[in-house]
Amino acid sequence: MADNFLKNVESAITNMNKALNAHQRVHPEVTGPAKELAVQSQKLLDKYLAVTESLKSQIDNYRSLLNDTQTDNNEKLQKVLDKLESIPVNMSTPYNVVAQNPPKTCYKTVLVKPKNNLLSPPQAKEAICNSIPASDIMCNQISINKTNVAFKFSNENSKNKFLKRVSENTDLNTAIDAYEPTPKCPTIKLKNIDYSTNESDIINQLITQNDLQDLRSHVKLLFTIKKRHYFDAILCVSPHVFELLFQRTLFIGWSACNAEQIFLLGHCSKCLSFQHRTKDCPSQSNKKCKNCGISFSASRINNQQSEFSIHIKNCSYFNCCHCAEKNLPADHPALTDHCPLYCKRIKNTWDRTCFDNSTKVQFFDKPPLADTSTSNNLNNTPPSPNTQPSSSSP
Ligand SMILES: [Zn+2]
Ligand SMILES: [Zn+2]
Ligand SMILES: [Zn+2]
């Protein structure tokens, strides 16, 4: 439209100049202002064109500036995201805060186990792959270990279809079991429970005092950590219960506590090894210091403080036993956020834990044989991994 307008004005000026030159006898009182009009019109036109050009280039400038900022911001954002990705586990935030981040999407897994050792796992895999068409199932991955085959699916639908196909096939049914593995459940710590609460009553009191009747079979006491005045309870909870417990203060007997997420790494509380549990530790009565990595006797003679207790009160030399073993920089205490190996283990455990709040896991108690057996139930739980007072601080 602007182009047409320009052309019209330009041709009007040309026409007027032509007419002025062609008609010699037009009175100068007319030709004078006419020529002036033609000149001024041309000037106006030129000015208009110049302004338009300048506006256009300004717009272009702003446009590229916007693009640059956008790219810049995207790059900055990507850098921040990369940085976040590379952090194994937030170093200083308490676990219950860290835990609010949803975990990455996990596969729906079906485990296939050969019945009565009729087939080896590779044979079981072959039998399934040969008798069920892959085309309409959408399996993401198959992995085999010594005892079973894991089929991984990215959605519920594919997983269910797979289970259905296996159950419909009688040949497969006689040779294999296909089932969904119980997911790794989150673990939480309830801190500073008063000793007036009996260990065997913790779950009961948690359920009844906090109106959690529906959750009775979805929480389970793993073990307790005894401290001087109070004790901590470590619970395993169904993924669908996990977030629910963080939303408020929980009452247990005469104590109120907040749930904290913890990750059980299964290390030995005596020598700090990840290779065995405390009950299997070969180092008898010795305990290793988390700070300096040196072992001291933990036995008390004549009610005196043990060598270990005396040492940890004064130890300020850092030589992480786990990092030192791997020839890594070890100038930090073991089993703390300062240790990269510890952080890596935490992250691995975190990644393997199911936080999907639509997943319900039920814990079945062994039926009590008699009234007197209730206190024995606790014998099945793992021993307290660490009774060092320093271990209880987050
Ligand atoms: Zn040990
Ligand atoms: Zn030490
Ligand atoms: Zn370390």
Side-chain angles (χ1 to χ4, degrees), residues 320-324 329-330 332-335 338-342:
C320 166
C321 56
H322 298 130
C323 288
H332 55 260
L335 299 171
H338 301 285
C339 175
L341 296 180
Y342 169 83

Side-chain angles (χ1 to χ4, degrees), residues 24 31 218 258 265 307:
Q24 301 291 334
T31 52
H218 301 288
N258 292 315
L265 302 181
E307 260 181 51

Side-chain angles (χ1 to χ4, degrees), residues 9 12 44 103 109 139 141 159 174 199-200 231 259 321 354:
V9 177
L44 185 66
T109 305
C139 176
Q141 200 182 36
K159 181 206 70 191
T174 50
E199 277 190 23
S200 55
F231 69 97
C321 56
C354 174

